[in-house]
Amino acid sequence: NENIMKSIILLLIGIFTFSCNDSESNLATKKADDSIQKTIDQNAKALLSDQKISALSISVYKNGKTYMRHFGELDKGKGNPPNDSTIYEIASVSKSFVGTLVAQAVLDKKLNLEDDIRTHLKGDFSNLEFQGYPITIKHLITHTAGFPRFFPTSVNDLFNNIDENLPFRIYDIEKEYSREEFLNDLQHISIDVIPGTSYRYSNADVELIAHILENVYSLSFEQLLQKYICKESHMTNTKVHLASKELDRLANGYGEANNKVPHFANTLWGAGSGIKSTPSDLINYMKLQLEKDNEVINESHRILYAEDDIHMGYLWPIFNDAEDGVYYNIHGGAFGTQNFLKILPKYNLGISIITNQSGPETQGKLLSTLNNLLLEIKRSHD
């Protein structure tokens, strides 16, 4: 039958065309994947040509696909390369986790952004205001409370003499500093600016908001981290305090002179810079931050403070440009670690880059590598 033959021929043509299109699509996808891997490798190689940087982990999440690459050796001469399960201190990238928890608390109606923080503190904190203007929750999570950068305040003075022994001097002070002393010092600081009017970066802001979160939930900061972020996002290696069996996977940190430096003492809440994580967990964290219909994430990305070129969400620095749209980029730097985490919703893209070395120039080198990576990844998917 002629009609049947025509139908069979058309069906075969359709199958062949679909198969060709599918093959072309797979080929294009493989080409883009190979391009991202090659870009990561090339940029890592260039960064590792710097004698001070001996190890590097780069994680990329793009349109549902994961790329994790590791380079060098964590301890020079030991032949121990990092891997997906290497635990790094992520320093101030920790703050973005805290911001997410505060957004959760606001949606749970445990906190209101306009709450006077003293309503959530026990004791006399009458000093936490300026000219009748109280410090609010919003001020803590936008670094506009007017607090010093560090508690104890003696740590701030140490930065007048920056040398390779600075991490040890800071550690010696912080290891003896307790939560009780923190709260006592908080009762004696003097606020010299109307809260909410001036950006002043502070780790003390974030430690205090962690204490407030504990008060309103009656759970420890570590428990809140696990319940609302890690468990939901299958981040099994992200925490402030490691179990003894996990310490072997914690990367040693190296300073400017490539000498081993101490890890954070974390005698407070660990909210400002104390979280540790792995490259694989950070991939899951990027996925979380890119969830378009997640109410908590959307709330945490809302701009709460804008002045000149500084825009802050819930402890998230927020940026906006004509090409990349609104994106989120946070840096973490400590005694022996430097890292960046960048979230770009326009491209459904997240990038994490981390090394276990820290010096005055490391931040700039990582940022340059991050920007080069972003440029090449965008090209590969044009």
Side-chain angles (χ1 to χ4, degrees), residues 64-82:
K65 291 200 170 185
T66 294
Y67 310 84
M68 275 186 290
R69 307 284 281 172
H70 310 283
F71 308 89
E73 49 188 359
L74 292 164
D75 303 285
K76 278 190 177 182
K78 291 196 174 180
N80 55 342

Side-chain angles (χ1 to χ4, degrees), residues 144-205:
T144 59
F147 283 0
R149 189 181 184 99
F150 298 106
F151 275 10
T153 54
S154 57
V155 170
N156 297 281
D157 298 330
L158 295 181
F159 285 86
N160 295 326
N161 180 24
I162 297 176
D163 60 25
E164 62 185 87
N165 293 315
L166 178 62
F168 298 92
R169 293 197 297 272
I170 294 174
Y171 178 79
D172 285 343
I173 291 175
E174 291 186 339
K175 71 178 181 180
E176 305 294 338
Y177 192 63
S178 68
R179 295 183 180 189
E180 291 73 24
E181 288 173 301
F182 175 94
L183 293 171
N184 182 64
D185 286 348
L186 190 66
Q187 291 179 313
H188 296 94
I189 64 167
S190 178
I191 305 301
D192 59 5
V193 64
I194 295 175
T197 61
S198 179
Y199 181 86
R200 187 182 294 174
Y201 188 83
S202 170
N203 281 300
D205 287 346

Side-chain angles (χ1 to χ4, degrees), residues 210-325:
H211 173 61
I212 289 172
L213 284 169
E214 288 189 342
N215 286 345
V216 299
Y217 277 106
S218 296
L219 292 171
S220 72
F221 173 68
E222 187 85 79
Q223 288 172 323
L224 292 168
L225 180 66
Q226 298 306 318
K227 179 177 180 178
Y228 290 109
I229 297 180
C230 298
K231 187 177 179 181
E232 295 292 322
S233 299
H234 309 290
M235 298 169 65
T236 56
N237 293 290
T238 299
K239 53 191 70 174
V240 175
H241 300 289
L242 300 176
S244 56
K245 64 182 180 180
E246 296 167 322
L247 291 173
D248 288 342
R249 290 192 285 127
L250 177 61
N252 289 321
Y254 292 87
E256 169 66 7
N258 281 130
N259 294 321
K260 192 184 293 186
V261 292
H263 295 295
F264 277 128
N266 280 335
T267 58
L268 301 179
W269 291 266
S273 52
I275 294 176
K276 302 156 190 76
S277 191
T278 63
S280 53
D281 270 14
L282 289 173
I283 285 280
N284 288 340
Y285 186 59
M286 289 188 268
K287 290 179 185 178
L288 172 67
Q289 294 296 326
L290 286 163
E291 289 181 4
K292 295 179 180 178
D293 299 323
N294 189 312
E295 289 183 349
V296 174
I297 297 306
N298 290 337
E299 177 65 21
S300 73
H301 289 172
R302 193 161 61 85
I303 293 176
L304 303 178
Y305 174 82
E307 187 68 35
D308 298 326
D309 60 343
I310 295 175
H311 292 72
M312 289 295 298
Y314 283 64
L315 290 167
W316 266 112
I318 301 174
F319 303 85
N320 191 356
D321 64 41
E323 182 177 349
D324 296 331

Side-chain angles (χ1 to χ4, degrees), residues 39-69:
T39 294
I40 292 173
D41 291 351
Q42 287 175 338
N43 279 280
K45 184 179 179 181
L47 191 56
L48 286 172
S49 66
D50 185 323
Q51 293 300 308
K52 291 181 179 178
I53 297 176
S54 63
L56 188 67
S57 290
I58 297 175
S59 305
V60 174
Y61 175 79
K62 177 78 172 76
N63 286 335
K65 291 200 170 185
T66 294
Y67 310 84
M68 275 186 290
R69 307 284 281 172

Side-chain angles (χ1 to χ4, degrees), residues 377-382:
I377 289 171
K378 288 192 295 185
R379 283 177 183 164
S380 72
H381 281 259
D382 282 346

